[in-house]
Amino acid sequence: MNNSKSRSLIRYLHITILGIILVFILIALITTSFFSFKLTSNNVANLLNDINSTELYLEFIHSENHLFPPSEAREFSLSNFFLPLSSNIHFDDIRTLLGRELPALAFFHTEIVVAEEGTTIADLPFESIPSKEMLENPVEVDEEKAKQEQKEEQPTKEDRNRAITKPKNKTVFIYNSHNFEAYLPLLKNTKNNDNVVSADERANVVGVSSKLSELLQQEGLGVELDKTNINQVILDRKWDYTYSYTVSKEVVETAINNNGNLKYLIDIHRDSARKKQTTANINGKNYAKLLFIIGKENKNYEQNEQFATKLHNALKKKYPGISKGVYAKGYELGNGVYNQNFSDLLFF
């Protein structure tokens, strides 16, 4: 009698534990599997990226006929294929294991297309998002530092003597989706202040765009420089900062409609990383590093990616260390398109 009761109790405990496990499995399936998986072309491409169709075909033949030699490629594992499909977990990427537990890690899910040697997660590009209060109260420029910067950037005699040509057609369009992004060393009272936005062109990315425009014109290129105050537009419309690309899309679309000769589009931004990560010393002189962002939600992103990679390799060959590489972002990390649907030759 006692033995019968003991068995019943053990069976009950086993059923209870099994039931609890099944409930957790069901919850996991609902929250991380096909219910939450977006079957976009990019996701499917990522899943199939490591599969060689020829090798897979050879494996199928070998499984049916063992006289047929097996594939020499690495063994295809169904578990390695279906685990990312069902759970979004990749054992070769620690970010997928910790992303849900550490929400801030989502900022570091940028895909590395090509990067300089030694790049780690800590080196990934990071763009800070200023609050509405910051945008309404941009920081003033430190006049002494700004004047010193202008003095150091004075053109040489050779540069002054170079005539700026004005080609018949303007083929380059330069603009700034985040026109208030500024540079910390040129601003006032930023020691314990994360507000690095400024309306002053001497300290923000619009000033960089102006300088680039001058240099390209000296090389004989026709340049159209747009200085639309996108920050003010989103404030006037009472929009969130993330709508900056909605406004810049209007700017780009208008420019292209007015000038059918525009071929190269350049949107200049400022990384939030500090000097050590964003500068390179080449022949004893410090230079700002470059990096290129690709919007993977653009259906033709491969063309932009190829162009950016080609440019990165050219820079790497001539100025080793000046390019941090090419990175890709989807909707989960921002706009995901970045106006690159307008041109295969858009620099971001």
Side-chain angles (χ1 to χ4, degrees):
M1 187 73 175
N2 289 334
N3 289 337
S4 179
K5 287 184 177 180
S6 297
R7 291 195 195 95
S8 297
L9 180 60
I10 293 173
R11 188 180 300 112
Y12 175 77
L13 288 174
H14 285 171
I15 292 173
T16 302
I17 294 171
L18 182 60
I20 293 173
I21 293 174
L22 289 174
V23 168
F24 276 102
I25 292 175
L26 181 61
I27 293 172
L29 287 173
I30 293 173
T31 58
T32 66
S33 186
F34 297 98
F35 295 94
S36 62
F37 184 76
K38 297 178 181 179
L39 286 175
T40 63
S41 59
N42 289 337
N43 285 336
V44 173
N46 289 334
L47 286 170
L48 302 177
N49 191 46
D50 293 331
I51 298 177
N52 185 313
S53 57
T54 302
E55 300 294 346
L56 182 60
Y57 181 64
L58 292 175
E59 282 297 323
F60 281 140
I61 295 177
H62 173 70
S63 65
E64 295 298 326
N65 183 355
H66 293 291
L67 294 177
F68 196 87
S71 166
E72 294 182 358
R74 63 184 178 86
E75 182 180 354
F76 174 75
S77 170
L78 288 175
S79 60
N80 288 340
F81 174 71
F82 284 109
L83 182 63
L85 180 65
S86 62
S87 65
N88 292 328
I89 291 177
H90 301 261
F91 284 124
D92 58 349
D93 189 345
I94 193 171
R95 293 173 296 181
T96 63
L97 295 171
L98 301 176
R100 294 179 184 273
E101 284 67 34
L102 302 173
L105 197 62
F107 290 110
F108 299 94
H109 280 200
T110 301
E111 179 184 334
I112 300 174
V113 178
V114 56
E116 62 181 342
E117 186 177 349
T119 297
T120 65
I121 293 178
D123 298 313
L124 293 178
F126 178 72
E127 197 169 30
S128 59
I129 300 178
S131 64
K132 182 181 178 182
E133 183 181 357
M134 290 178 179
L135 296 176
E136 291 175 340
N137 300 281
V139 182
E140 293 183 5
V141 167
D142 187 313
E143 291 295 335
E144 185 177 340
K145 292 180 180 178
K147 289 178 181 178
Q148 179 63 29
E149 183 74 12
Q150 288 180 320
K151 184 179 179 181
E152 293 176 359
E153 291 296 326
Q154 286 296 319
T156 63
K157 183 178 180 180
E158 182 182 352
D159 290 335
R160 286 194 296 268
N161 291 334
R162 292 179 67 181
I164 294 181
T165 59
K166 293 186 177 180
K168 181 180 178 180
N169 296 322
K170 293 183 177 181
T171 57
V172 180
F173 182 69
I174 303 176
Y175 67 104
N176 302 99
S177 293
H178 294 159
N179 59 301
F180 272 21
E181 286 183 333
Y183 297 91
L184 191 66
L186 298 175
L187 303 178
K188 279 184 178 179
N189 306 319
T190 53
K191 186 175 182 180
N192 297 309
N193 186 0
D194 291 329
N195 185 2
V196 191
V197 293
S198 175
D200 197 314
E201 291 183 18
R202 293 174 298 170
N204 65 26
V205 289
V206 179
V208 178
S209 295
S210 298
K211 183 65 177 178
L212 178 61
S213 176
E214 293 176 11
L215 294 173
L216 291 178
Q217 289 180 77
Q218 288 177 4
E219 297 297 328
L221 295 171
V223 180
E224 181 178 339
L225 174 63
D226 183 88
K227 292 188 177 182
T228 300
N229 189 343
I230 291 177
N231 178 72
Q232 190 58 51
V233 173
I234 60 176
L235 287 176
D236 291 342
R237 296 180 182 180
K238 295 180 172 54
W239 284 0
D240 187 74
Y241 186 70
T242 54
Y243 284 90
S244 298
Y245 294 105
T246 302
V247 179
S248 66
K249 178 184 177 182
E250 297 172 7
V251 171
V252 173
E253 199 164 19
T254 300
I256 291 176
N257 289 336
N258 293 337
N259 181 2
N261 295 308
L262 291 178
K263 184 179 180 181
Y264 299 95
L265 309 179
I266 304 176
D267 186 5
I268 296 179
H269 290 253
R270 182 263 300 135
D271 195 348
S272 294
R274 294 300 186 251
K275 183 176 180 180
K276 184 178 179 180
Q277 293 174 278
T278 57
T279 56
N281 189 283
I282 303 174
N283 298 324
K285 188 174 181 179
N286 286 329
Y287 293 88
K289 289 185 177 182
L290 303 171
L291 62 90
F292 304 94
I293 300 294
I294 302 300
K296 291 201 71 174
E297 305 303 334
N298 169 28
K299 63 180 181 179
N300 296 318
Y301 80 91
E302 292 93 346
Q303 283 75 24
N304 293 94
E305 185 177 294
Q306 290 171 8
F307 179 62
T309 302
K310 184 177 180 181
L311 188 58
H312 163 77
N313 290 332
L315 287 166
K316 182 180 178 181
K317 185 176 181 180
K318 195 166 185 179
Y319 305 101
I322 202 167
S323 176
K324 294 182 72 174
V326 181
Y327 303 84
K329 292 186 176 185
Y331 281 137
E332 69 278 5
L333 293 172
N335 176 265
V337 178
Y338 308 112
N339 297 322
Q340 291 175 353
N341 54 312
F342 286 107
S343 173
D344 296 339
L345 303 176
L346 189 148
F347 301 86
F348 178 91

